[in-house]
Amino acid sequence: MEQAVTAALLLVGLAIGAGVGASYARAKRGWKDYKTARNIVPGARRTAWLAIRAVITKLGVIALLLVGAAAYAAVGSDHERAGPTPTPTVTPTPSHRGGR
């Protein structure tokens, strides 16, 4: 009977030990993954902000070009506003004075 109790306690201890060991291994892997991700985040954040800044700069340039094109279209070109060119008026001037 004593051997049966000892065997049962060993089996219970083995089951508890296996569960605790598996939990510890899972926690250790999770902590390692957390530290790896924590070290990667600042670099990833910096890269994301650089990409966002590049996109915003490109959108700003495109917006300025569109505003400039709209302003040019609203004003019209110089050719349409110029109209006909004036013709010079030529008045004859005497080349010499008589009577002196």
Side-chain angles (χ1 to χ4, degrees), residues 4-33:
V5 172
T6 306
L9 289 175
L10 284 174
L11 285 175
V12 169
L14 183 64
I16 292 173
V20 170
S23 296
Y24 176 76
R26 194 174 322 124
K28 194 169 181 178
R29 276 194 315 266
W31 183 250
K32 183 181 174 189
D33 292 345

Side-chain angles (χ1 to χ4, degrees), residues 23-92:
S23 296
Y24 176 76
R26 194 174 322 124
K28 194 169 181 178
R29 276 194 315 266
W31 183 250
K32 183 181 174 189
D33 292 345
Y34 166 73
K35 288 195 314 187
T36 302
R38 188 183 65 190
N39 292 334
I40 290 174
V41 166
R45 185 179 296 138
R46 195 174 314 117
T47 303
W49 278 114
L50 287 174
I52 289 170
R53 189 173 77 183
V55 168
I56 289 174
T57 302
K58 289 176 185 176
L59 287 176
V61 170
I62 290 170
L64 285 175
L65 289 173
L66 287 175
V67 167
Y72 180 77
V75 171
S77 66
D78 290 339
H79 185 269
E80 294 172 358
R81 289 188 292 149
T85 57
T87 56
T89 306
V90 178
T91 55

